[in-house]
Amino acid sequence: MTHGMGSVVGALLSSLMNKNSEMKPELFGGCAVYDYCSGKAALVTALRVLAKLKKDKCEVVVPAYTCYSVAASIEEAGLKMVLSDVVPETLDFDYQKLKSVVHDKTLCIISTHFFSKSADIDQARKLADSVGAYLVEDAAQSGIDPERGVMTSDIIVYSFGRGKPISTNGGGILAVSCDEISAELTSRHKVMPMPGRIRELKSALMMLMNDLLIQPSIFWLPARLPFLGIGRTVYPDYISMERMGRLRVLLLQRLLKRLPTLKASRRECAGFYFNRLKKCGRVSLLAHLEKSESFPIRFPCYLEGDIELSRKNKSLSGRELGISQMYPQGLHKLKEIKGFCLNYGDDFPGADFVSNHLVTLPTHLLVNASVRRQVVAWLVGE
């Protein structure tokens, strides 16, 4: 998402004048909310609290295909991870297989929303309740939805890093429906440090730089600079534990006002891609994307052959158009998880299929008709 110079400068000035930067609970269904410097920090804090409340449980069940930061957060929290396979058509748990790994040592199940498609929270809730476990929603890719209705999980984790539905170039929030969890989080949140003013200023400058580099006309430049990490997914080796900071909270408040415009732009992009690609033999689409209300942060599709995000012709590569994988491999292929994953080495064919075939297409506000046509041409091999 592009921040807009006015939004960033306005938030910076407001933060310097010490204007109110509290998040409004009504944006989260009236739940208690807590801000952190990243989605990772938010998840680490949530897991530590859950482990304190249920000391006899230590296992966290996650999809075998999900963000590497989820695994790193479980490791940082000192817990054990259990993987469960996903269904490529839904990108959600294979619930029959999920049943086989949930038991009395399960502390919580983390359900992940992908590309504006919600996970089956009701089914995950029933499984969690059957063994006395908590249910955590990873909403990093779905973002804040003021109209989502009653919260049925115990905790929702939001992330506002680069590439998220609403981005403040970092930051995360926990929304909590359980009073017992909220009481423990409140005491921890009060003593968590805030970032300093210099770091806030650096953050504002980075946001403006990102807005410049995401312009389609020059995206070829950052795509060719490996130190920027564009399109790369790495396993975090350090997780900072701080609050979100006044600047990012104020910017988030401003960006939420632009949410309807953002959703409309992404719907238009998704509709264009779906209509152009639905008859393409080398591309398979997820059925839910045909619905008019779909507004994915990136448009997902499966390529017939294994992914090769290399140069397709002499002048243009997919990455330079903003075409990329999501995660290059499932968690089960990461050597970093070997020490704390209880079913490391098992096979997860659903996760393997997704990582080998899924590509995602840009849908942000700057993706105009010309860029969309180039993206489609790259995919169909024209």
Side-chain angles (χ1 to χ4, degrees):
M1 176 179 184
T2 55
H3 309 98
M5 180 175 290
S7 294
V8 175
V9 173
L12 179 60
L13 291 174
S14 295
S15 71
L16 293 175
M17 292 188 297
N18 294 315
K19 287 196 175 180
N20 179 42
S21 60
E22 295 297 321
M23 288 306 303
K24 299 177 180 179
E26 55 265 32
L27 293 173
F28 304 87
C31 296
V33 291
Y34 305 90
D35 63 277
Y36 301 89
C37 64
S38 67
K40 298 185 292 292
L43 182 55
V44 169
T45 305
L47 292 174
R48 286 174 174 168
V49 166
L50 298 185
K52 180 179 179 180
L53 294 175
K54 295 194 176 183
K55 294 183 173 65
D56 59 330
K57 297 174 180 286
C58 61
E59 297 180 14
V60 180
V61 181
V62 303
Y65 183 85
T66 194
C67 182
Y68 300 174
S69 295
V70 173
S73 299
I74 295 169
E75 181 181 22
E76 181 70 18
L79 298 169
K80 300 297 183 182
M81 183 170 68
V82 177
L83 303 178
S84 188
D85 209 4
V86 298
V87 178
E89 290 77 13
T90 64
L91 291 169
D92 195 4
F93 282 120
D94 180 327
Y95 283 92
Q96 287 301 316
K97 293 182 179 179
L98 181 61
K99 289 179 182 179
S100 68
V101 296
V102 172
H103 54 87
D104 60 353
K105 290 296 182 183
T106 301
L107 175 66
C108 68
I109 298 171
I110 299 181
S111 287
T112 305
H113 305 305
F114 274 112
F115 308 114
S116 81
K117 182 184 183 303
S118 296
D120 189 340
I121 297 302
D122 289 340
Q123 195 165 180
R125 174 84 271 177
K126 290 176 183 177
L127 274 176
D129 288 345
S130 70
V131 295
Y134 294 108
L135 177 61
V136 177
E137 291 181 58
D138 177 357
Q141 285 196 40
S142 61
I144 298 171
D145 181 5
E147 302 175 357
R148 65 166 281 140
V150 178
M151 179 175 165
T152 56
S153 59
D154 298 294
I155 297 175
I156 303 178
V157 184
Y158 297 97
S159 177
F160 309 106
R162 188 175 69 186
K164 297 302 189 293
I166 295 179
S167 172
T168 58
N169 235 55
I173 280 178
L174 293 179
V176 183
S177 64
C178 173
D179 291 341
E180 184 182 31
I181 298 172
S182 181
E184 184 65 30
L185 281 171
T186 298
S187 62
R188 293 175 182 242
H189 196 253
K190 287 179 180 177
V191 298
M192 189 165 277
M194 293 278 285
R197 292 290 177 85
I198 299 299
R199 284 180 59 188
E200 296 264 83
L201 178 59
K202 289 180 178 179
S203 295
L205 293 174
M206 283 299 298
M207 293 173 202
L208 295 174
M209 181 63 71
N210 282 347
D211 278 1
L212 172 65
L213 294 177
I214 203 173
Q215 301 285 335
S217 60
I218 64 167
F219 192 70
W220 59 269
L221 175 60
R224 293 182 180 183
L225 299 176
F227 63 87
L228 291 177
I230 301 295
R232 291 179 58 213
T233 301
V234 297
Y235 189 91
D237 55 9
Y238 174 74
I239 298 178
S240 177
M241 300 299 293
E242 294 180 325
R243 290 183 59 178
M244 190 169 176
R246 184 175 288 108
L247 167 65
R248 286 195 169 105
V249 173
L250 289 166
L251 178 59
L252 179 60
Q253 292 172 352
R254 288 170 175 262
L255 293 178
L256 283 171
K257 297 177 182 178
R258 300 172 56 195
L259 197 54
T261 300
L262 173 64
K263 287 183 177 180
S265 175
R266 287 181 172 152
R267 284 191 189 100
E268 184 180 349
C269 265
F272 179 91
Y273 290 142
F274 194 94
N275 290 330
R276 288 295 188 93
L277 296 172
K278 62 184 178 181
K279 295 182 180 178
C280 176
R282 69 185 301 263
V283 177
S284 298
L285 304 177
L286 281 72
H288 79 279
L289 294 170
E290 189 173 13
K291 298 178 180 178
S292 60
E293 66 269 21
S294 180
F295 51 92
I297 58 168
R298 294 186 63 82
F299 185 93
C301 57
Y302 290 112
L303 296 186
E304 186 179 59
D306 282 357
I307 296 170
E308 294 182 5
L309 292 179
S310 57
R311 195 170 298 275
K312 293 293 288 184
N313 55 49
K314 294 182 180 179
S315 61
L316 199 62
S317 79
R319 180 166 292 175
E320 290 166 6
L321 284 170
I323 302 171
S324 67
Q325 290 176 270
M326 199 65 190
Y327 312 121
Q329 54 189 358
L331 295 183
H332 60 296
K333 296 293 182 67
L334 301 180
K335 64 180 185 302
E336 291 91 343
I337 74 167
K338 188 175 182 179
F340 65 98
C341 180
L342 297 181
N343 54 351
Y344 182 80
D346 287 1
D347 292 328
F348 300 93
D352 284 335
F353 180 90
V354 176
S355 60
N356 289 334
H357 297 273
L358 183 74
V359 295
T360 65
L361 318 181
T363 62
H364 60 75
L365 287 169
L366 300 178
V367 180
N368 57 30
S370 174
V371 174
R372 294 173 205 164
R373 287 194 292 269
Q374 291 180 70
V375 168
V376 170
W378 188 93
L379 279 176
V380 301
E382 294 178 356

